[in-house]
Amino acid sequence: MAQVPQTFFDALAVRTWCGHALRTLGGAREEIDAINVYPVADGDTGTNLYLTLESAVGAVEAVFSGYEGTGPSLAEAVRAMAHGALIGARGNSGTILAQLLRGMAQVLATEGEAPHTDAQGLRLALRHAADSARRAVAHPVEGTVLTVASAAADAAEGAEGDCGTVARAAYEGARAALAVTPGQLAVLARAGVVDAGGRGLVAVLSALVETFTGEAPGAPVPVRPMHTHAEAVAEAHARGVAAAAGREGCADGAEPGGPAFEVIYLLEADDRAVDRLRARLDALGDSLVVVGGDGLWNVHVHVDDAGAAMEAGVEAGRPYRIRITHFGLGDVHTRAGGPPPREPVQRAVVAVVPGEGLAGLYAEAGATTVLARPGEPPASGELVDAVRRAHAREVVLLPNDAELRHTAAAAAEQARTEGIRVALIPTRSAVQGIAALAVHEPERRFDEDVVSMTSAAGATRYAEVVMAERQSWTMAGICQAGDVLGLIEGDVAVIGADVTTTAETVLDRMLQAGGELVTLVLGDETPDTVADRLEARVRESYLAVDTVVYRGGRQGALLLIGVE
């Protein structure tokens, strides 16, 4: 059935555009992933763009579902689109797409005597989108999605006519700019491909044309203008353009052999704090993109010190939905003989962690992490995505929560259908995961490594100290709201009024059965004096028992305790 075109930009046009764009990106996702060679061929640009837009579509649909009859206003629809993209942005390309959509929304949501619903409004929106996206990237480079967005805005400004005419001009301008990106970036020219992020934007603009004309435009520029698909991929690998860092094609000039971690998080912070954060992260690494505003930001950076990137976020405000990806030691910091092709690493660890500090700790130990905030456990799809991001033939999955065992099992099964060998170790606490990670040796046979990690996790008794939220009956008696609870192996064993005293009682009970190492992970609201007192108690009362202390961040529990 032919599509009924929209004649001006209203809420229904936003909904229609988002739907068309998601479908178009879905069809082009694998193609875009395949041409992702700048700065490395990690093959996820199409997927990241799709997931970002999927989040935008979900937000728009949620707004429409809240209305009966008239539907939402244009301002409500575009703000929902922008917010959904912001909170769901994946990778460098998705983060930039989120800023492009936010830039458009800032113009289209303007309310007053002359709302921007016509062709002129679309021109202004495309220009503001391109300019704001460029400002969001710390070090813009031509030949990327930023170039394509600017060309689209330039073409739109010179077009006379209705929204359909302006949209088609923007599409054609972007299409022409995309075709010449290999002449602007040598890595694209060597591989014989156009920029993957720019190709994704052309798909999104194609959907805009379809929204206002009822017809999708012709095919975009060939993604491999110089070669067939097989030839392009073979040449990219042969010439080593899939360089060392394992990073997604990004819009600033990241050099091969660069940082080892990709760090992404949402951040609640004010503008001045974000300005300071930008300067600090820019000094720590590259591929820095910070998008958003009005107190909510999406931060993306490649760094060697993931912990420092997280500390910067904590100092700026409240980071959450943290994603830290380790690019693989076999793929980073390679110097001799030029950069190697981006091949899957043999083995990786994927872990669910309850706080920012632990996320940094796990990442520095080589794990790909998924943050589980209190009351927001990750879905199986998030775990599958993390397994894919690990880019390994073999993956050890650490759920670190008894409640996640079924979710993790479903994710492992899905990953296996994609050809990835996955072993699920049923860790029930992050301290068990730390113990497993400590004995992880990628050089060992997979089965031997899994057995060793499982044994280490199983030999670690775990406990946590939390604050009671309400009156409740427990194995240790009735607790009241505000009581301090000590849970050992998941069951309430101690009810107290003081964090330090309760923690001492819990630790004593755990060490009655022996132990060689005590691990303490402090929540962000727990003072260092608690750890100091527990360390002193171990030294005074338990010979030959060592203690290590970590800061876990906003992990829910006041204190996590592990005894090995």
Side-chain angles (χ1 to χ4, degrees):
M1 174 183 283
Q3 297 289 329
V4 177
Q6 300 293 312
T7 56
F8 57 92
F9 230 128
D10 60 4
L12 183 58
V14 174
R15 186 187 200 183
T16 303
W17 177 33
C18 288
H20 288 337
L22 187 64
R23 187 191 71 247
T24 304
L25 275 177
R29 182 182 61 80
E30 291 185 3
E31 175 190 272
I32 297 171
D33 282 346
I35 65 169
N36 175 200
V37 299
Y38 173 71
V40 290
D42 57 345
D44 61 359
T45 291
T47 299
N48 285 337
L49 289 169
Y50 180 85
L51 292 173
T52 301
L53 195 59
E54 185 179 48
S55 181
V57 168
V60 172
E61 290 301 323
V63 168
F64 270 86
S65 67
Y67 282 84
E68 293 182 4
T70 58
S73 66
L74 171 61
E76 290 171 317
V78 293
R79 286 170 181 155
M81 173 188 72
H83 181 74
L86 178 67
I87 65 174
R90 302 293 185 95
N92 194 291
S93 58
T95 307
I96 293 173
L97 176 61
Q99 187 65 11
L100 287 167
L101 296 179
R102 177 180 172 81
M104 292 191 70
Q106 287 175 321
V107 173
L108 297 172
T110 301
E111 297 175 345
E113 295 181 2
H116 297 305
T117 62
D118 58 3
Q120 178 59 13
L122 181 54
R123 293 186 195 96
L124 294 172
L126 290 168
R127 170 51 60 197
H128 187 64
D131 292 346
S132 62
R134 188 171 287 270
R135 287 193 298 270
V137 176
H139 303 286
V141 167
E142 299 306 327
T144 66
V145 62
L146 299 178
T147 304
V148 176
S150 294
D154 290 344
E157 287 178 338
E160 297 294 335
D162 58 11
C163 285
T165 302
V166 172
R168 187 174 292 277
Y171 166 78
E172 293 295 346
R175 185 170 177 264
L178 179 64
V180 299
T181 54
Q184 296 170 301
L185 276 179
V187 65
L188 301 178
R190 288 195 298 269
V193 297
V194 296
D195 178 67
R199 169 65 181 90
L201 180 58
V202 169
V204 173
L205 292 173
S206 169
L208 188 65
V209 175
E210 185 176 1
T211 299
F212 288 113
T213 67
E215 297 179 352
V221 298
V223 295
R224 285 167 289 275
M226 296 184 249
H227 302 282
T228 65
H229 181 192
E231 289 168 342
V233 172
E235 181 174 336
H237 285 283
R239 291 174 180 261
V241 296
R247 290 161 290 172
E248 182 208 345
C250 56
D252 71 356
E255 293 297 329
F261 300 101
E262 179 185 57
V263 179
I264 307 171
Y265 48 83
L266 291 180
L267 178 70
E268 293 179 357
D270 60 40
D271 291 1
R272 277 189 281 184
V274 170
D275 288 340
R276 293 191 296 270
L277 175 66
R278 280 194 177 100
R280 183 168 175 187
L281 292 180
D282 193 29
L284 286 174
D286 59 32
S287 298
L288 174 61
V289 185
V290 181
V291 304
D294 301 321
L296 180 62
W297 309 82
N298 191 304
V299 179
H300 172 283
V301 68
H302 293 172
V303 293
D304 271 325
D305 190 343
M310 289 311 312
E311 289 173 8
V314 171
E315 290 179 5
R318 187 175 78 89
Y320 60 102
R321 290 199 183 183
I322 299 161
R323 295 158 56 87
I324 301 177
T325 303
H326 184 267
F327 292 131
L329 294 177
D331 293 324
V332 299
H333 305 311
T334 303
R335 298 291 186 265
R342 170 61 170 163
E343 294 291 339
V345 296
Q346 183 60 31
R347 190 174 309 158
V349 176
V350 173
V352 180
V353 292
E356 305 92 341
L358 281 175
L361 174 67
Y362 271 75
E364 288 175 2
T368 296
T369 62
V370 179
L371 186 69
R373 297 186 66 232
E376 297 181 16
S380 61
E382 292 180 72
L383 300 187
V384 173
D385 181 53
V387 170
R388 293 171 182 148
R389 285 189 288 119
H391 201 55
R393 298 181 181 90
E394 301 167 341
V395 171
V396 179
L397 182 57
L398 305 175
N400 291 340
D401 187 339
E403 299 298 321
L404 288 177
R405 62 186 185 278
H406 296 305
T407 300
E413 189 61 34
Q414 173 61 37
R416 291 181 188 119
T417 66
E418 299 177 11
I420 304 171
R421 189 180 185 187
V422 181
L424 172 61
I425 297 180
T427 48
R428 293 170 289 173
S429 170
V431 292
Q432 288 189 322
I434 291 172
L437 202 55
V439 300
H440 169 53
E441 292 185 14
E443 295 77 17
R444 281 192 298 216
R445 291 179 56 249
F446 186 60
D447 292 340
E448 292 176 355
D449 197 28
V450 171
V451 168
S452 178
M453 294 177 71
T454 302
S455 177
T460 302
R461 300 185 299 283
Y462 66 95
E464 60 180 336
V465 177
V466 300
M467 190 76 70
E469 297 181 354
R470 64 184 66 86
Q471 184 185 64
S472 179
W473 184 90
T474 75
M475 296 291 290
I478 298 175
C479 71
Q480 305 295 327
D483 284 346
V484 180
L485 308 181
L487 289 78
I488 300 177
E489 304 282 330
D491 292 324
V492 176
V494 181
I495 300 175
D498 175 75
V499 174
T500 303
T501 303
T502 303
E504 284 183 322
T505 304
V506 169
L507 185 57
D508 285 339
R509 292 193 185 184
M510 296 178 74
L511 286 172
Q512 285 175 0
E516 299 176 354
L517 177 66
V518 172
T519 300
L520 305 174
V521 183
L522 277 66
D524 63 339
E525 297 180 357
T526 306
D528 291 333
T529 54
V530 174
D532 294 340
R533 178 61 195 133
L534 294 177
E535 285 187 285
R537 186 171 187 82
V538 171
R539 284 195 304 270
E540 296 164 1
S541 304
Y542 302 96
L543 297 178
V545 177
D546 294 323
T547 306
V548 293
V549 181
Y550 303 109
R551 271 285 173 187
R554 296 174 177 85
Q555 61 187 22
L558 298 169
L559 176 68
L560 300 178
I561 304 174
V563 175
E564 302 175 45

